[in-house]
Amino acid sequence: MKDADWERLISQLRKGACTPFLGAGASAGSLPYGDELSERLAARWGYPFGDRANLARVTHYGAMKFGESMHVKEQVCAELAAAGVPDFSDPLEPHGLLAGFPFPVYLTTNYDDFIYQSLKAAGKDPNVALCPWHGGFAFDEDLFRHKAGWNPGPDAPLIYHLHGRIQDPSSLVITEDDYLEFVFNLAYDRAAETPIMLPPAVMRALTTRSLLFVGYSLQDWTFRFLFNSLHRAVPGINRRRHISVQLAPNVDSTAVGDLRRELQRYYEDWKVSIFWGTPAQFCEQLRERMGTAT
C-alpha cells in the first residue's frame, strides 16, 4: 500500500473510525480454508464433479443428496467446532490485534466466534447479532431496541454475523441457494419501509466509515458476490476509501505483477486499496508502522 494509505488507516484505527470486516482468511491456521473443507466434504459425500474445492457447490450437492440443507450445515458446524482456537496474545494474530482498537462495530462473514473470544480476552463486553437473511430467522428486536444494539461503543461493541454462526446452523449462508436467497432478500429488504437485514448501527458502519477487509481474496467469488451485493444495496458504501488485505494471486510467478495491477484497477472503482500479503504479514507491518513491533 502507499504511505498515504497507511497514514490514513493508522489514524482511523487509533480513533476507532473504521469498520473491520472479517473473512475466512483471518481464521487461517486455526480453521481449514474453504477449499480444504470443501475437498473433505466432497470426498465424504461422493461429490462427482471436478470443482471439489467450491464449497458453495459442494454443500449445494450435499443438500440435494440428503434432501435438506440443515444436515449439511450441521456437519459443517461440527467440523469447525472441532478445530482449534487462535492464540489472541500472538502479535501476528489478527483478531487479537483488532480487538485492541476502539471499534463500535465488527462485521464478519465467518461462522466462528473468534472475534467475540478475542474481545472478551481484551476485557470488553461485546454483543452478537445474526443477520436475519431468511424468513425463518428472527430479527433480534430486543438487542436493537436498546443502546447496545442501536448505538454500540468501544467497550461494548456489536459483532454482526452476516452469514451466520456455528452456534446456530440454520443461520449459515453456505450453499449456492443460500447465497442467492441472501442477495435477493438483501435487495428486497433495502426497499422495505423498515429494513431489518442491515439495522441502523450496521448501516452507519458500512456508509460512514472506511472498511478494513481482512481474510478475503479479490479473486474469491464469495468476496465479489458479497461486496457487489452490498455495493448495490447500500450506495453510500462508496463514500469512503477501503482497504483489503489480500493474498497474492495464485498464478504463475511471471504473471503475478500484471494480475495484481489488473485487480487493483478493477477494484479502484470500489475505492479499495490493496495490501498484498497474509493477515499475519499485515499485522506485522501495521505494528511496525505504529511503533508496537515486538
Side-chain angles (χ1 to χ4, degrees):
M1 295 195 305
K2 298 177 182 177
D3 287 341
D5 289 322
W6 282 109
E7 182 179 344
R8 184 185 67 252
L9 174 63
I10 290 171
S11 174
Q12 292 170 341
L13 291 173
R14 286 175 168 154
K15 295 183 294 186
C18 67
T19 300
F21 211 129
L22 298 171
S27 302
S30 298
L31 297 180
Y33 280 109
D35 55 355
E36 180 186 344
L37 176 60
S38 183
E39 294 271 7
R40 191 183 305 170
L41 295 173
R44 182 185 305 170
W45 297 337
Y47 184 73
F49 305 109
D51 54 348
R52 297 166 67 91
N54 188 318
L55 185 59
R57 291 184 180 175
V58 170
T59 52
H60 181 77
Y61 171 81
M64 292 190 297
K65 176 184 177 73
F66 297 112
E68 63 168 41
S69 63
M70 269 300 294
H71 178 67
V72 169
K73 295 179 182 184
E74 287 168 349
Q75 290 201 33
V76 169
C77 289
E79 288 279 346
L80 298 179
V85 176
D87 177 6
F88 301 123
S89 65
D90 184 340
L92 303 186
E93 204 288 311
H95 298 91
L97 175 64
L98 293 172
F101 294 111
F103 301 126
V105 175
Y106 292 78
L107 303 177
T108 182
T109 52
N110 291 345
Y111 312 131
D112 62 70
D113 64 349
F114 293 162
I115 191 60
Y116 175 83
Q117 293 185 50
S118 66
L119 285 165
K120 294 293 286 186
K124 300 183 180 183
D125 187 23
N127 292 285
V128 178
L130 307 183
C131 178
W133 60 273
H134 62 77
F137 195 69
F139 175 67
D140 193 343
E141 293 185 20
D142 186 58
L143 173 61
F144 290 102
R145 191 184 298 122
H146 295 88
K147 183 178 180 180
W150 59 259
N151 190 26
D155 294 328
L158 172 68
I159 303 169
Y160 200 66
H161 286 262
L162 283 158
H163 286 174
R165 192 176 183 218
I166 59 174
Q167 286 78 1
D168 185 347
S170 69
S171 69
L172 266 59
V173 177
I174 195 166
T175 69
E176 286 185 322
D177 283 349
D178 291 337
Y179 281 104
L180 291 173
E181 186 173 356
F182 178 90
V183 72
F184 175 83
N185 287 341
L186 180 61
Y188 180 82
D189 184 72
R190 299 318 306 158
E193 184 176 346
T194 308
I196 61 172
M197 284 183 66
L198 300 177
V202 175
M203 279 294 291
R204 289 195 301 272
L206 286 168
T207 58
T208 66
R209 296 167 178 264
S210 296
L211 303 177
L212 172 59
F213 294 97
V214 180
Y216 293 98
S217 167
L218 294 179
Q219 295 173 281
D220 182 65
W221 179 83
T222 303
F223 176 84
R224 289 185 284 115
F225 190 86
L226 169 73
F227 199 86
N228 203 17
S229 61
L230 287 173
H231 197 265
R232 291 174 182 273
V234 190
I237 201 171
N238 63 2
R239 293 174 185 163
R240 302 296 301 269
R241 186 163 193 87
H242 315 298
I243 288 176
S244 186
V245 178
Q246 298 287 330
L247 292 175
N250 186 23
V251 296
D252 185 88
S253 58
T254 59
V256 168
D258 290 339
L259 183 53
R260 281 186 181 182
R261 285 187 288 273
E262 290 174 9
L263 288 170
Q264 285 173 299
R265 281 196 298 268
Y266 180 80
Y267 285 97
E268 182 60 31
D269 290 341
W270 288 355
K271 294 188 177 180
V272 177
S273 298
I274 303 172
F275 172 88
W276 294 108
T278 65
Q281 289 169 334
F282 172 75
C283 291
E284 182 177 27
Q285 288 201 34
L286 176 61
R287 288 186 181 277
E288 287 178 357
R289 286 177 176 264
M290 294 184 71
T292 58
T294 57

